[in-house]
Amino acid sequence: MGDARAVTEAYLQIFRNVPAAGPGVCRICHTGTGGPSGLCVTCAVTTQGLYRHTEHVVPVSLCVRDGDGAQLHAIVTRRRDPPGSVRRVPFLAATVARFHRAHATCLTRLAGGPFTMVTTLPGTRLDRPIEVFGPMPRIVDMVGDLRGLHRPVLMAGSAQAAENLARRRSDERAFQVLGRVDGARVLLVDDLFVSGAHVQSAASALYLAGARAVVALVIARLVFPRACGDTARLWERACAERFDFDRCCRAGAPTVDRATDFG
Ligand SMILES: [Zn+2]
Ligand SMILES: [Zn+2]
């Protein structure tokens, strides 16, 4: 692919900085918590009932569905191409490439060591047009730093579990892992994070199949500024700032190993 920096630099205005976890900001998904808990209401729900969820969701950018800040959402959900001549898939690949390069060290630290696998979510979304060949595998294969580790190990699971996902309830049976992934440190790359039901269900399926660590890199984290005062404030702040690909929302976060492993 071309120079990821050159491709994305002209579009910085469509991205919004993701705030670091802290008071009022969810430690998993980085939206507003609306209360004293370290988790937002949605993460409190989507991390329940699973074998194991991931604490590590690293979004490139926040986005909203309407108005100022909705452009990235429209691109990710295939309603629109980026402005200008650049096409959607190469644009999103450049976005992932530039962000991953800037945050390779912190992503690796969150995983407790170098990644051994990069994978993507298969299309199980009932709330979206069915696309036989989803864009995420193509996007990952356009990123030089990721394509060598790309393994399409996640398959759609039971239809009933997929219905649960469509209702934003996590269900690890919504995904099947092809074979075992014992000891793998997995970078799970997805385009849009709404409730986290998909990412958390996939993380749990990967852990059940033997993964040692799962870190999710998502392009766009959809937020609802009217959901609570914390989200309204962080969105307002994000819109007032210049976007910076190098800014890190995970600085100081504990690693998977420190949080869960010992010995
Ligand atoms: Zn959350
Ligand atoms: Zn980072």
Side-chain angles (χ1 to χ4, degrees), residues 3-13 15 91 94 98 242-243 245:
D3 178 0
R5 187 187 171 86
V7 172
T8 51
E9 192 65 17
Y11 299 102
L12 291 182
Q13 74 281 1
F15 298 101
F91 173 74
R98 183 172 179 185
R242 182 183 163 79
F243 182 78
F245 265 94

Side-chain angles (χ1 to χ4, degrees), residues 58 99 102-107 109-110 245-251:
V58 184
F99 185 86
H103 297 274
T105 306
C106 72
L107 291 166
R109 190 181 64 81
L110 293 172
F245 265 94
D246 296 332
R247 207 169 103 162
C248 191
C249 72
R250 301 299 294 188

Side-chain angles (χ1 to χ4, degrees), residues 26-32 38-44 193 195 221:
C26 178
R27 71 167 189 267
I28 294 180
C29 77
H30 302 265
T31 191
L39 287 183
C40 70
V41 182
T42 311
C43 284
F193 186 103
S195 69
R221 198 283 177 248

Side-chain angles (χ1 to χ4, degrees), residues 53-71:
H53 68 272
T54 178
E55 284 279 307
H56 300 300
V57 175
V58 184
V60 174
S61 174
L62 302 180
C63 70
V64 290
R65 198 137 52 184
D66 300 294
D68 181 36
Q71 227 172 350

Side-chain angles (χ1 to χ4, degrees), residues 168-262:
R168 297 187 183 164
R169 291 212 310 262
S170 38
D171 190 327
E172 62 214 2
R173 293 166 308 157
F175 298 101
Q176 270 178 28
V177 179
L178 291 173
R180 297 285 304 174
V181 293
D182 290 304
R185 288 192 170 93
V186 184
L187 183 67
L188 178 62
V189 186
D190 201 14
D191 46 8
L192 181 65
F193 186 103
V194 182
S195 69
H198 289 83
V199 159
Q200 294 298 4
S201 301
S204 193
L206 288 162
Y207 278 125
L208 274 167
R212 178 173 183 177
V214 179
V215 175
L217 168 56
V218 299
I219 297 172
R221 198 283 177 248
L222 180 67
V223 298
F224 301 92
R226 269 177 264 165
C228 66
D230 288 330
T231 304
R233 274 188 293 279
L234 69 83
W235 177 250
E236 197 181 327
R237 208 177 311 133
C239 288
E241 295 169 345
R242 182 183 163 79
F243 182 78
D244 181 355
F245 265 94
D246 296 332
R247 207 169 103 162
C248 191
C249 72
R250 301 299 294 188
T255 68
V256 166
D257 279 0
R258 243 191 291 156
T260 58
D261 291 352
F262 62 93

